């Protein structure tokens, strides 16, 4: 029997401190539970998930009913697809979140679903901590990674909506943790299957996660392991050590098995919904809005045809320059050839630049993009939507930039970097594949933060914590971070982002701090002893900016929006009966349609009715609904001058502050 040596006291003290920081984080999250009574959603995505949850609670399947859908195409509102019988409207999203939320919904309505997401947010913090501990073998900095990922980022904001993002983020972090553990256990087959299954389940919560788990399979296929007999004699600097071998492929097959098993139920459901066994699909784009949002061009073949040429061009050119970096003549010739190819193939360059712009917008700053119909602030400092500035990932969490400086000293360091960095890059590239005009939809029609990049925050936080770990930290740094984060939060809390100095601070202050932290950390890694203390303070400032701006701007803005949406739903609930019909445009109708969770409501999105054709079917639906004795209401933008286009129909104002009208036949 082998007895492990006791851990040094200093390490045990760090572990206790890390565990204590995690407990404080979890307690702070659980204090939200009594207040998590949100029962609405601000978007068409949330409205669809509410319908799917209600369908699962009622029928066991994620579909809803919305009247005579076979006769009226407009009743097939986004994101619902009509079945072959012309009766059921299937929500198009992957349904894992909806299935897990359905029991909570049956127990306590949408407020219970909101509390479920708060619990998932706590699980996310735990999974990031476990991932950090597995990679860094340091619980203190694993806790730092958990705080950065949960509080110093927009992740907490994703946990207060009726959406699958936080569940997908948590499962993605769990998948990465399991794949790291599998490699540390001499390759545990069961753990590898679990890693693939967790990654697949993340994708069945939100399809953005599929690129991360596929990248994980690829990483396992090329990663070097000490027990691989074909690579034992090779140096880790030898490029051949990264070639796939039979043992590597066997390891990857276990991850792939877990992925396949987790995606199988989704493939079967998609066959029922869309007539296709493809699990990575949202089904056909059948709405009037498809062309306006670019969704009609976001199928896989079109994405690959746009992205593959610039990717191969950049990869080949980069590899060639690295391969012949010591031969100036060869590098010059290769650069000249690449320039000629780029000049001759303008379409490839255009697509490549578009992909690059989208990734830049997701990670650094969205201001350079043209986001029609939004316009930049009059002073040119960012985009301001409903009084709040749109911030990209590093503008929310500047310390994540330090992930680029994760040390690569040992073979284990390089393998950990591969495990975390490649899925992160794959996520950003996968999100960029949506880069079809208009750009506003290519980056996910964001509010306050870039939600398409949030799955990358967990691995980036761990890598950033690993990069900071070697700096000369003291308890003073922790005290300053706590005090300064509190001060920044309180200073930003009570106002919006209309004023230019505030926008400069929250948009470009974090980027400047990130650059300073990277500069001093890089100097410290190169052996400059004077830069190490400066790097520690710059990194502390980056953590402070992330926690302060996310707690003082991002989270309060989302909370205010949720509370405003709840008040709108409550107001409509008081003025309408249990059974009625609703007409209007998205997004005005999306929030009140949360009432479909408990009421009999049929509705029409008038955009799908094509107003240019005179709303012919809307007029027919008025007759149908009136014949059924179903009261009819409309919701239009507040302040809009609305009048009936038909002489025998009147729109009577019910509540001007909401744009709510009652439709009556004369």
């Amino acid at each position: 029997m082998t007895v492990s040596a006791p851990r040094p006291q200093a390490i045990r003290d760090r572990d206790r401190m890390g565990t204590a920081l995690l407990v404080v984080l979890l307690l702070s999250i659980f204090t939200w539970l009594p207040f998590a009574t949100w029962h609405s959603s601000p978007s068409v995505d949330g409205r669809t998930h509410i319908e799917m949850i209600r369908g699962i609670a009622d029928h066991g399947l994620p579909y809803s009913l919305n009247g005579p859908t076979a006769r009226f195409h407009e009743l097939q509102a986004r994101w619902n697809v009509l079945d072959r019988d012309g009766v059921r409207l299937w929500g198009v999203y992957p349904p894992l979140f909806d299935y897990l939320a359905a029991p909570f919904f049956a127990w306590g309505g949408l407020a219970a679903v909101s509390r479920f997401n708060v619990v998932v947010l706590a699980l996310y913090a735990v999974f990031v901590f476990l991932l950090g501990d597995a990679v860094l073998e340091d619980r203190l900095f694993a806790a730092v990674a958990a705080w950065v990922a949960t509080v110093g980022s927009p992740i907490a904001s994703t946990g207060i909506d009726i959406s699958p993002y936080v569940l997908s983020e948590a499962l993605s972090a769990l998948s990465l943790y399991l794949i790291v553990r599998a490699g540390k256990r001499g390759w545990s087959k069961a753990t590898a299957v679990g890693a693939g299954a967790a990654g697949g389940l993340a994708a069945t919560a939100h399809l953005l996660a599929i690129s991360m788990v596929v990248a994980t399979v690829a990483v396992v296929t090329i990663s070097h392991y000490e027990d691989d007999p074909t690579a034992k004699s090779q140096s880790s600097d030898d490029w051949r050590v990264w070639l796939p071998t039979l043992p590597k492929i066997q390891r990857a097959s276990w991850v792939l098995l877990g992925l396949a098993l987790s995606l199988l139920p989704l493939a079967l459901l998609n066959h029922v919904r869309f007539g296709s066994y493809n699990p990575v699909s949202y089904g056909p784009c059948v709405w009037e809005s498809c062309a306006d949002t670019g969704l009609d061009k976001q199928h896989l073949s079109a994405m690959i045809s746009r992205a593959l040429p610039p990717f191969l061009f950049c990869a080949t050119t980069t590899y060639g320059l690295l391969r012949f970096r010591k031969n100036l003549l060869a590098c010059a010739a290769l650069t000249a050839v690449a320039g000629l190819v780029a000049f001759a193939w303008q379409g490839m360059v255009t697509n490549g630049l578009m992909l690059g712009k989208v990734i830049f917008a997701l990670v650094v700053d969205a201001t350079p993009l043209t986001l029609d119909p939004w316009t930049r602030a009059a002073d040119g400092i960012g985009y301001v939507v409903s009084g709040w500035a749109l911030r990209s990932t590093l503008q929310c969490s500047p310390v994540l930039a330090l992930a680029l400086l994760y040390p690569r000293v040992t073979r284990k360091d390089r393998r950990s970097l591969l495990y975390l960095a490649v899925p992160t890059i794959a996520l950003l590239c996968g999100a960029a594949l949506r880069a079809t005009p208009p750009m506003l939809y290519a980056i996910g029609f964001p509010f306050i933060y870039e939600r398409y990049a949030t799955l990358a925050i967990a691995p980036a936080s761990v890598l950033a914590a690993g990069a900071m770990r070697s700096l000369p930290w003291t308890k003073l740094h922790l005290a300053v971070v706590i005090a300064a984060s509190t001060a920044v939060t309180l200073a930003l809390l009570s106002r919006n982002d209309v004023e230019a100095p505030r926008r400069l601070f929250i948009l470009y202050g974090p980027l400047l701090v990130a650059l300073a932290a990277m500069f001093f950390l890089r100097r410290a890694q190169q052996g400059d002893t004077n830069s190490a203390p400066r790097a520690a303070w710059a990194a502390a400032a980056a953590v402070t900016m992330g926690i302060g701006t996310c707690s003082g701007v991002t989270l309060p803005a989302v909370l205010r929006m949720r509370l405003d949406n709840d008040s709108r739903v409550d107001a409509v609930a008081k003025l309408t009966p249990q059974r009625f019909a609703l007409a209007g445009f998205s997004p005005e109708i999306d929030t009140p349609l949360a009432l479909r969770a408990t009421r009999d409501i049929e509705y029409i999105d008038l955009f799908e009715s094509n107003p240019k054709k005179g709303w012919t079917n809307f007029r027919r639906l008025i007759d149908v609904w009136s014949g059924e004795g179903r009261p009819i209401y409309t919701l239009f933008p507040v302040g809009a001058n609305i009048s009936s286009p038909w002489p025998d129909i009147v729109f009577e104002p019910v509540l001007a502050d909401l744009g709510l009208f009652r439709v009556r036949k004369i």
Side-chain angles (χ1 to χ4, degrees):
M1 178 177 179
T2 302
V3 180
S4 59
R7 305 186 78 180
Q9 183 63 39
I11 295 178
R12 290 200 298 269
D13 290 343
R14 287 171 68 90
D15 286 350
R16 291 193 190 99
M17 188 173 181
T19 303
L21 285 174
L22 176 65
V23 170
V24 171
L25 176 58
L26 295 178
L27 289 176
S28 66
I29 293 173
F30 284 129
T31 56
W32 292 13
L33 283 174
F35 309 102
T37 58
W38 312 295
H39 49 277
S40 64
S41 185
S43 66
V44 62
D45 297 1
R47 184 261 298 161
T48 305
H49 280 292
I50 290 171
E51 292 172 337
M52 293 172 68
I53 292 169
R54 169 73 185 271
I56 291 168
D58 289 349
H59 321 292
L61 291 170
Y63 69 81
S64 61
L65 304 175
N66 194 30
T69 47
R71 291 172 55 194
F72 299 100
H73 166 80
E74 297 84 348
L75 295 175
Q76 187 180 186
R78 298 177 296 169
W79 306 111
N80 291 299
V81 173
L82 191 62
D83 66 6
R84 299 166 190 168
D85 298 330
V87 177
R88 299 175 185 85
L89 287 171
W90 294 90
V92 301
Y93 291 117
L96 178 64
F97 166 75
D98 311 290
Y99 272 101
L100 294 178
F104 294 89
F105 169 76
W107 167 57
L110 293 179
V113 176
S114 295
R115 292 191 174 101
F116 163 70
N117 257 355
V118 172
V119 174
V120 175
L121 178 63
L123 287 176
Y124 172 81
V126 172
F127 294 154
V128 175
F129 175 81
L130 292 174
L131 174 62
D133 190 30
V135 172
L136 307 177
E137 298 178 349
D138 185 331
R139 291 185 183 178
L140 177 58
F141 278 87
V144 170
W147 271 90
V148 167
T150 309
V151 181
S153 80
I155 293 293
S157 298
T158 68
I160 59 174
D161 194 6
I162 299 175
S163 84
Y165 273 93
V166 70
L167 177 63
S168 185
E169 291 153 0
L171 290 170
S172 292
L174 176 61
S175 175
L176 293 173
Y177 162 67
L178 291 174
I179 202 65
V180 172
R181 285 294 300 272
K184 294 178 72 172
R185 291 184 169 186
W187 198 256
S188 166
K189 296 176 182 178
T191 309
V193 172
L201 289 174
T204 61
H206 198 294
L207 285 183
L208 274 175
I210 191 65
S211 56
M212 296 186 74
V213 67
V214 170
T216 297
V217 175
V219 168
V220 174
T221 306
I222 65 171
S223 293
H224 172 74
Y225 296 90
E226 289 75 5
D227 62 342
D228 188 342
T230 63
K232 277 186 176 180
S233 60
Q234 295 172 349
S235 165
S236 60
D237 295 327
D238 188 340
W239 64 270
R240 290 174 297 176
V241 80
W242 302 108
L243 291 177
T245 62
L246 182 58
K248 295 178 182 180
I249 293 172
Q250 289 173 338
R251 289 187 178 96
S253 66
W254 291 108
V255 185
L256 199 58
L257 174 62
L259 173 61
L261 291 174
S262 62
L263 291 181
L264 179 60
L266 181 57
L268 296 175
L269 177 64
N270 281 358
H271 180 66
V272 175
R273 295 192 293 185
F274 314 137
S276 168
Y277 286 107
N278 179 10
V280 190
S281 172
Y282 288 113
C285 196
V286 296
W287 306 281
E288 290 281 343
S289 57
C290 289
D292 296 310
T293 58
L295 287 176
D296 57 338
K297 299 176 182 177
Q298 290 183 3
H299 47 87
L300 189 59
S301 60
M303 291 179 179
I304 292 176
S305 65
R306 286 193 304 271
L308 192 58
F311 171 77
L312 292 177
F313 173 78
C314 291
T316 304
T317 304
T318 302
Y319 172 77
L321 291 175
L322 291 174
R323 180 72 175 81
F324 300 105
R325 61 185 180 276
K326 296 181 181 180
N327 188 331
L328 293 179
L329 182 60
C331 286
L334 182 60
T335 302
V337 171
L340 290 174
V341 172
F343 180 78
W345 198 351
Q346 291 293 317
M348 178 199 66
V349 175
T350 300
N351 289 336
L353 289 175
M354 188 177 296
L355 293 169
K357 287 180 180 178
V358 170
I359 293 176
F360 184 85
L362 293 174
V363 177
V364 182
D365 184 18
T367 305
L369 281 184
T370 300
L371 303 179
D372 294 331
W374 292 355
T375 56
R376 296 180 187 86
D379 51 24
I381 306 173
Y383 284 93
V384 180
V385 183
S386 300
W388 303 100
L390 171 62
R391 298 198 299 154
S392 298
T393 304
L394 291 182
Q395 291 170 325
C396 293
S397 308
V399 74
L400 299 184
L402 299 185
L404 296 172
L405 299 178
Y406 182 80
R408 298 178 290 275
V409 178
T410 67
R411 182 175 292 166
K412 183 178 74 70
D413 290 337
R414 289 190 284 273
R415 188 161 58 221
S416 297
L417 180 63
L418 273 177
Y419 279 148
L420 302 189
V422 173
T424 300
I425 295 170
L427 171 74
L428 296 174
C429 292
L433 288 178
R434 294 172 55 96
T436 54
M439 284 293 101
L440 180 59
Y441 293 92
I443 62 173
F445 208 98
F447 175 72
I448 301 294
Y449 61 90
E450 295 286 357
R451 55 196 171 98
Y452 279 3
T454 54
L455 274 77
I457 289 175
S461 297
V462 172
L463 292 176
M468 294 188 291
R469 185 173 43 163
S470 61
L471 296 176
W473 296 101
T474 66
K475 293 181 180 179
L476 179 61
H477 290 95
L478 177 60
V480 169
V481 167
I482 293 173
S485 298
T486 303
V488 172
T489 299
L490 294 176
L492 297 173
L493 198 56
S494 60
R495 291 180 291 179
N496 59 21
D497 301 335
V498 172
E499 298 175 358
R502 175 186 168 105
R503 268 181 286 122
L504 277 173
F505 178 76
I506 66 173
L507 288 175
Y508 300 113
L511 297 181
L512 290 175
V513 170
L515 287 174
M518 291 180 68
F519 173 77
F520 288 119
L521 179 57
R522 184 58 182 158
R523 292 286 301 273
Q525 289 176 342
Q526 291 173 338
D528 184 356
T529 56
N530 293 326
S531 293
R534 298 168 186 168
W537 284 112
V543 173
T544 297
M545 287 291 283
I547 294 176
T549 59
C550 287
S551 301
V553 179
T554 307
L555 185 59
V558 174
L559 280 171
R560 290 173 190 175
M561 179 179 65
R562 294 304 312 276
L563 294 174
D564 177 66
N565 291 334
D566 285 353
S567 65
R568 290 173 61 200
V569 168
D570 295 341
V572 172
K574 292 177 181 178
L575 298 169
T576 54
Q578 181 68 23
R579 178 177 178 269
F580 67 96
L582 183 66
F585 293 96
S586 179
E588 282 78 22
I589 63 171
D590 292 326
T591 295
L593 282 174
L595 292 172
R596 293 198 88 203
T598 56
R599 298 192 182 190
D600 177 7
I601 304 173
E602 295 180 5
Y603 69 99
I604 177 176
D605 183 345
L606 291 178
F607 187 91
E608 298 298 320
S609 187
N610 195 344
K612 297 177 182 178
K613 296 181 180 178
W615 290 346
T616 304
N617 277 353
F618 178 33
R619 178 63 186 83
R620 294 171 182 165
L621 268 170
I622 292 175
D623 291 335
V624 171
W625 283 331
S626 298
E628 295 175 351
R630 186 183 292 269
I632 307 168
Y633 295 84
T634 63
L635 271 168
F636 291 109
V638 175
N641 185 16
I642 301 299
S643 61
S644 170
W646 308 288
D648 60 333
I649 301 294
V650 294
F651 291 176
E652 299 176 348
V654 177
L655 187 61
D657 290 342
L658 285 177
L660 182 65
F661 295 80
R662 173 74 185 271
V663 179
R664 295 186 186 273
K665 295 182 70 173
I666 301 176

